[in-house]
Amino acid sequence: MQLLLKLKTSSFLILIVIILSLMLVLSGSRGAILFILPVMALQLWHFRKNKFFIVALFLMLLIVVAGLIGPYLPTAYAQRILSIPQNIIFGADTVGLRFGLWQYGLELWSQKPFFGIGSGMFVRFSINSPVLHGIRKLPLHNMYLTHLVENGIIGLFFFMLIITRSALNYSRVIRWANRGS
């Protein structure tokens, strides 16, 4: 019974990975595409001694193949992905805008490093940011920096404590699942 449950669970997870990977590639999200590469490498490393290594390798190859069909996708898609380094350097487009917001957020944080500027306050202060020119308000677009700027070092510490605890619980569940197989 437990083997059947594991098989159903692993099949379901594989299906989710395939669907989400396809959605990721077709979305054209530059940040997500940059993020998926180290995640794929980490997962492959995790499964290196597991019977699911072949499945993980297959999924990684599927994502790489999806990336190779890039020349057959619209030109605008390829230009969007290839513009990442240029947009960071020149501060253009959404990538440069976010980088400017991060710099402004760190300036705000330096004024109140321990307790931050207050939860939810960055959006109110963002209109004064040099990159927004008083036209609109935007969030920081980075959860770690948001916690640092709005809640200070103390708030970031507790946020990271929650994330670390979650990762440890995940690791414990994976070890428990592997021990039963």
Side-chain angles (χ1 to χ4, degrees), residues 57-174:
L57 185 62
F58 172 75
L59 291 176
M60 306 298 167
L61 289 174
L62 185 66
I63 293 170
V64 169
V65 167
L68 292 176
I69 64 169
Y72 302 105
L73 294 173
T75 307
Y77 177 81
Q79 289 173 345
R80 180 172 167 83
I81 300 302
L82 295 174
S83 69
I84 295 170
Q86 180 182 359
N87 290 335
I88 291 173
I89 292 169
F90 295 114
D93 200 19
T94 59
V95 176
L97 177 68
R98 287 180 186 188
F99 189 69
L101 286 172
W102 296 346
Q103 288 176 322
Y104 182 65
L106 289 173
E107 288 174 22
L108 288 176
W109 170 73
S110 68
Q111 296 170 9
K112 297 184 179 183
F114 293 106
F115 296 105
I117 60 173
S119 291
M121 293 302 293
F122 181 80
V123 173
R124 289 187 177 197
F125 285 112
S126 69
I127 199 161
N128 301 322
S129 133
V131 294
L132 296 178
H133 310 292
I135 298 171
R136 61 183 174 165
K137 300 175 184 179
L138 286 176
L140 202 47
H141 290 287
N142 182 314
M143 69 179 170
Y144 302 103
L145 279 177
T146 298
H147 280 280
L148 179 65
V149 172
E150 293 182 353
N151 304 311
I153 292 173
I154 295 170
L156 181 65
F157 170 76
F158 284 111
F159 178 67
M160 293 304 295
L161 190 66
I162 291 169
I163 289 176
T164 304
R165 183 68 185 163
S166 299
L168 291 172
N169 286 342
Y170 171 77
S171 177
R172 188 179 318 141
V173 167
I174 294 297

